């Protein structure tokens, strides 16, 4: 359903009681009674899962799977799939500059990318009461999966030309992938760039921000926005280059102090975060997640542009009683009049 997303952001920012927007998708496997492998392999199940999550929660938006293996698989990477965990990339496919030059930019629709776009098309028909966001990996995080996450840290220094070459190809694919989601009816993308959070601010400014900015400029408009996500522990130090990407909103992980991050966010820009997805949603209790959620809100809700969220993607086996306790804590905070 087409909607003005700039208006949606403004209304969210100005609302005295803000709906939360956790990155909540994979726990749909429990509502559907299926495995993660079954979910990632079927567009109908993905769309139905998003619908069930939307019906179960009063979230500000519906968010599709944050499966950061999809794009790398399109380039030829091997992935490891299980019944209970999010898929992961195995090994590297680019070892040197020659292989970087030979690397072909895949077509959208290759591997599982077409299935994921189709899932969003179906989800937008099922969910009409809130925006629907697709998920995509960021350019540097994709390049890191093609080059190996550890090796790319070294090669940014030793082989910068090769890294930039892979970045260019990764970005070219991601632009077309985001355009396909846009055509399918998505209202925007949650763009996950977590590996950038491991870089120094100078390297992030060179190897990530310009490519994210190029992607944003290619696809973002009033009806389709990018929410930039980075759950690294260096995000506060690199916030200037992150903001320079021009994304419409930002989402940060629990590795940082969210209140300190909010000091750096422009008043007209929404930032979201950052209750621990593994420690609280997956392994916590209703009591502990209530405490953690209220602590973040008490520290950050003095900023009108703050929206409470999970720190990252909520794991598939996170207990729904914990997820429900998170939403209950958000309601409790606002009803208390704090």
């Amino acid at each position: 359903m087409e909607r003005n997303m700039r208006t949606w952001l403004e209304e969210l920012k100005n609302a005295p009681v803000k709906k939360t927007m956790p990155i909540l998708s994979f726990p749909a496997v429990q509502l559907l009674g299926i495995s993660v492998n079954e979910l990632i392999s079927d567009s109908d199940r993905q769309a139905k899962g998003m619908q069930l999550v939307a019906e179960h929660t009063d979230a500000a938006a519906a968010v599709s799977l944050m499966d950061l293996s999809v794009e790398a698989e399109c380039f030829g990477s091997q992935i490891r799939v299980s019944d209970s965990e999010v898929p992961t990339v195995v090994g590297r496919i680019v070892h040197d500059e020659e292989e970087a030059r030979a690397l072909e930019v895949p077509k959208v629709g290759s591997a599982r990318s077409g299935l994921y776009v189709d899932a969003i098309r179906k989800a937008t028909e099922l969910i009409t009461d809130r925006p629907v966001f697709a998920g995509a990996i960021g350019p540097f995080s994709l390049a890191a999966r093609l080059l190996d996450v550890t090796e790319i840290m070294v090669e940014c220094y030793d082989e910068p030309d090769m890294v930039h070459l892979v970045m260019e190809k990764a970005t070219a694919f991601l632009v077309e992938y985001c355009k396909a989601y846009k055509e399918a009816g998505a209202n925007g993308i949650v763009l996950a760039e977590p590996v950038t959070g491991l870089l120094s601010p100078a390297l992030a400014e060179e190897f990530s921000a310009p490519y994210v900015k190029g992607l944003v400029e290619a696809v973002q408009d009033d009806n389709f926005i990018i929410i930039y996500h980075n759950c690294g522990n260096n995000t506060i130090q690199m916030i200037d280059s992150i903001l320079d990407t021009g994304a419409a909103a930002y989402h940060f992980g629990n590795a940082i102090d969210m209140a300190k991050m909010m000091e750096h966010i422009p008043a007209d820009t929404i930032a979201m975060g950052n209750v621990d997805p593994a420690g609280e949603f997956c392994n916590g209790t209703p009591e502990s997640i209530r405490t953690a959620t209220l602590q973040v809100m008490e520290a950050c809700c003095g900023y009108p542009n703050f929206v409470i969220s999970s720190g990252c993607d909520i794991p598939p086996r996170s207990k729904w009683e914990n997820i429900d306790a998170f939403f209950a804590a958000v309601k409790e905070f606002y009803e208390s009049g704090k």
Side-chain angles (χ1 to χ4, degrees), residues 168-299:
E168 289 168 4
K169 295 185 177 185
T171 306
F173 173 74
L174 290 173
V175 166
E176 295 307 312
Y177 192 35
C178 291
K179 286 180 178 178
Y181 276 130
K182 188 175 186 177
E183 186 178 339
N187 300 111
I189 300 287
V190 177
L191 189 76
E193 190 69 309
V195 184
T196 297
L198 303 175
L199 295 172
S200 69
L203 288 178
E205 186 173 1
E206 177 182 355
F207 288 100
S208 176
Y211 296 98
V212 175
K213 185 174 185 176
L215 186 154
V216 169
E217 291 175 346
V219 302
Q220 184 168 266
D221 57 31
D222 288 347
N223 299 319
F224 187 86
I225 62 173
I226 301 295
I227 298 178
Y228 173 99
H229 165 78
N230 188 330
C231 52
N233 59 358
N234 288 334
T235 47
I236 295 178
Q237 288 74 27
M238 60 182 65
I239 188 58
D240 288 345
S241 69
I242 289 174
L243 292 173
D244 189 54
T245 64
Y250 298 88
H251 191 282
F252 298 103
N254 53 286
I256 61 162
D257 183 329
M258 194 69 202
K260 290 183 179 178
M261 174 59 84
M262 292 307 300
E263 296 174 4
H264 301 274
I265 305 297
D268 62 350
T269 301
I270 283 181
M272 308 178 189
N274 70 343
V275 178
D276 187 345
E280 293 298 342
F281 283 93
C282 190
N283 297 315
T285 64
E287 294 76 19
S288 72
I289 198 170
R290 172 185 175 273
T291 298
T293 303
L294 292 177
Q295 284 177 344
V296 175
M297 296 186 76
E298 286 164 3

